[in-house]
Amino acid sequence: VSGLIVQRRLHKGGGGDPDKFYKEPLDEGKIRAIGARLKLEIDFIYGELPHFSSTLVRRAPGTWRSFLPQTVARYLDGRPDLLSKLHDNLEADAKIEAMSIPTPPAAKAKRGSPSSSSGGGGVEEEDGSSGEKIAAECVMRGLEVVHSLQFERGQTGLYLSVGTDRLKKDLDDAMSNTDRIVREIVSAADENNDDDERRIMNEYDEALALAAELRRIPEWLSRDRRIVRKKATRLRSLRGAEGWEGRYSLVEKFNPRIVIIIGAVVRALREILSNHSNDNNNDDDAEDATVTLQMRDAPDLLLRWSEGKEALGRLRALVSAGGG
């Protein structure tokens, strides 16, 4: 055993009020000291985590790390053989799941129709399916980037205001995680020829715009990080409102970048569902049409959730930049 994940939960009925929640008191320092003595890494999490082999994780291409605590992700990064085995298991689970799902009658009819078996029709249908898959992957990558940038923003504020060795390491870890995600995005972009991508993604202009936005991240992120390193020592020494405002002026540069990516993600998702809805309107499968109706509100729900998450992240960043 290399470590433990301790899950903290809220309990209902704080102060005798059934509508209030409270956390059981816990001496985290004492538990960490015990872990250090036993050479165990102990991490505390709050809230629920999905089972790693769940459908939710398998259907989120490239984003499985978002479902794991940072300590577990770092543990896997240091053990490439185990990480490879993990990917193999996920792919095997996905294949078994795909085999167990019956093919809808409309889809069978499409594959058996003359248009799909003749020269151009089959290519067009294949391109449409590939385009939707690539567009969905762009959306998931965008969400993962937003989460990583929000986390790095908070760690940057703490580093600028306090600057301990532990916080510097935490910031370095956050930066490394962001860099890994960005490298995956750039690598995926390099694998496809631009002309081929435009042909396959002909009906997904917003997804292409999102992909282009994600590819620009390394340029502005590396520049902003250099400024943070250059000004960190001076800003940390400033006290009062002047220091707080100076530190937050660097941290808040994340804000418009994140908002732009969130907007691009929501537009791309709305485009995917719109195209999917148009395809279903040409089918007679009532079940597919019902699912489409249930999903039409997903972009607005995602936008509201993202805006709430971003508001909390900005508040955390503002407080983190305050200093001691």
Side-chain angles (χ1 to χ4, degrees):
V1 177
S2 298
L4 297 173
I5 303 295
V6 181
Q7 185 182 36
R8 301 292 310 277
R9 292 190 175 187
L10 290 174
H11 301 277
K12 199 170 184 179
D17 186 342
D19 294 327
K20 288 186 177 181
F21 293 84
Y22 70 97
K23 259 189 318 189
E24 284 284 0
L26 180 66
D27 190 343
E28 294 189 8
K30 182 178 180 181
I31 293 178
R32 293 186 190 279
I34 294 173
R37 189 171 68 249
L38 298 176
K39 296 182 179 180
L40 291 175
E41 184 173 7
I42 298 180
D43 191 20
F44 294 89
I45 63 171
Y46 303 86
E48 299 289 340
L49 286 174
H51 191 276
F52 186 73
S53 63
S54 69
T55 302
L56 174 65
V57 176
R58 291 202 303 276
R59 290 184 177 176
T63 65
W64 57 267
R65 290 173 183 268
S66 299
F67 298 97
L68 294 176
Q70 292 291 319
T71 49
V72 177
R74 289 197 299 269
Y75 179 88
L76 292 172
D77 284 337
R79 294 161 177 80
D81 293 340
L82 180 61
L83 185 58
S84 176
K85 179 63 176 175
L86 190 87
H87 281 293
D88 292 342
N89 289 343
L90 283 176
E91 291 175 6
D93 288 345
K95 288 179 182 178
I96 293 173
E97 183 184 76
M99 292 172 61
S100 66
I101 299 175
T103 304
K108 291 179 180 177
K110 281 183 183 178
R111 284 200 291 268
S113 65
S115 61
S116 63
S117 58
S118 60
V123 174
E124 182 179 351
E125 181 181 337
E126 181 181 344
D127 286 351
S129 176
S130 299
E132 182 173 304
K133 180 180 178 182
I134 294 174
E137 288 177 352
C138 286
V139 168
M140 298 308 297
R141 288 193 180 111
L143 289 173
E144 189 174 15
V145 166
V146 166
H147 176 75
S148 185
L149 289 174
Q150 288 170 331
F151 185 73
E152 182 176 331
R153 175 179 58 192
Q155 295 301 123
T156 300
L158 287 172
Y159 170 69
L160 285 172
S161 61
V162 182
T164 63
D165 291 341
R166 170 67 186 272
L167 289 174
K168 183 180 184 304
K169 181 182 182 302
D170 290 344
L171 176 58
D172 289 342
D173 289 342
M175 288 179 173
S176 296
N177 188 55
T178 304
D179 290 341
R180 175 192 55 76
I181 297 169
V182 172
R183 280 197 303 271
E184 290 176 1
I185 292 170
V186 174
S187 176
D190 291 341
E191 288 176 1
N192 299 316
N193 179 275
D194 285 343
D195 292 335
D196 290 342
E197 186 179 73
R198 291 192 185 95
R199 175 178 59 81
I200 295 173
M201 300 284 289
N202 185 49
E203 300 299 323
Y204 297 94
D205 295 324
E206 293 294 350
L208 281 173
L210 169 60
E213 193 65 50
L214 296 177
R215 291 171 194 167
R216 283 194 286 266
I217 291 175
E219 180 182 352
W220 60 259
L221 186 59
S222 60
R223 182 174 60 246
D224 288 352
R225 285 174 176 174
R226 285 196 299 271
I227 296 173
V228 167
R229 295 188 190 97
K230 183 178 180 180
K231 297 184 177 181
T233 302
R234 185 183 66 83
L235 288 174
R236 197 174 301 123
S237 65
L238 295 176
R239 300 298 176 187
E242 182 185 5
W244 195 340
E245 291 175 0
R247 291 186 290 270
Y248 188 64
S249 68
L250 296 185
V251 174
E252 70 175 351
K253 292 169 73 174
F254 281 91
N255 299 355
R257 320 277 198 187
I258 291 173
V259 168
I260 288 173
I261 298 173
I262 289 175
V265 166
V266 172
R267 288 191 295 272
L269 177 59
R270 186 172 284 118
E271 179 182 64
I272 292 170
L273 294 178
S274 176
N275 290 347
H276 192 75
S277 175
N278 292 337
D279 290 342
N280 281 341
N281 287 339
N282 298 324
D283 297 336
D284 296 326
D285 195 322
E287 183 178 352
D288 281 352
T290 302
V291 172
T292 300
L293 286 173
Q294 293 172 344
M295 294 176 63
R296 66 184 178 185
D297 294 331
D300 293 329
L301 292 174
L302 176 62
L303 178 60
R304 288 198 289 270
W305 176 81
S306 298
E307 287 175 340
K309 185 172 183 286
E310 173 61 6
L312 290 173
R314 290 188 182 190
L315 180 60
R316 176 179 184 264
L318 174 63
V319 174
S320 297

